[in-house]
């Protein structure tokens, strides 16, 4: 029996220790958003996050995932998903959940990636050759995330300024 924490929920599964995590998630737990492509760690269709890092789960034994926070495409809430829609990235769509998971992980590590960063990091395969659209969508998501960050920093700075202005002055206070 193994206990897995996936998308914030705890699941218990009765499988062999060397069962690939992908099979457990798809077949035991019924979350089929993560796809099977090659089965040998080459294509990235099976990408999930383990502790925020993109991992190819067709070659990861379930026992290795115990104790970690796992996220599948069903549990991801990220700017890349909006960017994927905005840029109409998917064609057949088969590889795209893995592409999105890989892109979200890249932006976590490298918030403003260059084309070279994207090309070096996004090794997931796409038979429909959506690579150009993927690159555009990643830049778009990075810009959206940067704008949100700037807005939050400006709000925090304004709140700090306001609290400084309204704080009672200690001028003239007794020593
Ligand atoms: S199915 Fe896992 S890398 Fe291809
Ligand atoms: S969209 Fe068809 S394989 Fe990538």
């Amino acid at each position: 029996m193994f206990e897995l924490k996936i998308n914030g929920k705890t699941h218990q599964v009765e499988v062999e220790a060397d069962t690939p995590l992908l099979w457990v998630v798809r077949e035991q737990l019924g979350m089929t958003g993560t796809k099977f492509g090659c089965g040998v760690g080459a294509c990235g269709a099976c990408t999930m996050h383990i502790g925020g890092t993109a991992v190819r789960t067709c070659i990861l034994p379930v026992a290795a995932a115990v104790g970690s926070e796992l996220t599948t495409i069903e549990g991801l809430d990220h700017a890349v998903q909006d960017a994927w829609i905005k840029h109409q990235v998917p064609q057949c769509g088969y590889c795209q959940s893995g592409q999105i998971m890989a892109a979200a992980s890249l932006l976590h590590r490298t918030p403003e990636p260059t084309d070279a960063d994207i090309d070096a990091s996004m090794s997931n395969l796409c038979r429909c050759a959506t690579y150009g659209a993927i690159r555009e969508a990643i830049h778009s998501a990075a810009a959206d995330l940067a704008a949100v960050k700037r807005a939050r920093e400006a709000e925090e700075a304004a709140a700090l300024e306001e609290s400084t202005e309204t704080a009672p002055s200690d001028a003239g206070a007794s020593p």
Side-chain angles (χ1 to χ4, degrees):
M1 171 84 77
F2 296 97
E3 192 166 280
L4 298 172
K5 192 156 181 207
I6 306 175
N7 302 332
K9 279 178 68 179
T10 301
H11 302 267
Q12 269 142 13
V13 289
E14 194 78 61
V15 291
E16 298 294 327
D18 61 354
T19 309
L21 178 62
L22 176 64
W23 296 138
V24 176
V25 168
R26 285 182 56 87
E27 298 194 356
Q28 309 284 318
L29 302 175
M31 287 181 259
T32 55
T34 311
K35 304 302 181 193
F36 171 76
C38 64
V40 295
C43 74
C46 61
T47 304
M48 297 177 199
H49 290 176
I50 300 190
T53 300
V55 175
R56 295 182 178 184
T57 59
C58 65
I59 51 169
L60 186 79
V62 65
V66 172
S68 299
E69 297 276 343
L70 312 181
T71 307
T72 67
I73 189 72
E74 289 90 347
L76 189 75
D77 180 11
H78 195 281
V80 290
Q81 288 151 298
D82 292 333
W84 247 240
I85 293 168
K86 185 167 144 198
H87 290 269
Q88 295 286 290
V89 177
Q91 292 300 313
C92 81
Y94 197 82
C95 71
Q96 296 295 332
S97 65
Q99 303 280 7
I100 286 171
M101 297 306 280
S105 177
L106 165 63
L107 288 173
H108 183 63
R109 292 190 312 279
T110 310
E112 292 183 45
T114 62
D115 284 347
D117 294 330
I118 294 171
D119 292 346
S121 174
M122 295 293 293
S123 59
N124 292 30
L125 302 179
C126 175
R127 288 172 301 183
C128 305
T130 60
Y131 302 112
I134 286 172
R135 200 194 258 183
E136 279 175 24
I138 291 174
H139 285 306
S140 172
D144 290 347
L145 288 168
V148 169
K149 184 167 175 243
R150 279 196 303 276
R152 195 176 51 234
E153 285 169 353
E155 259 176 41
E156 283 167 5
L160 184 66
E161 199 173 321
E162 195 179 307
S163 70
T164 311
E165 280 168 6
T166 55
S169 165
D170 62 358
S174 305

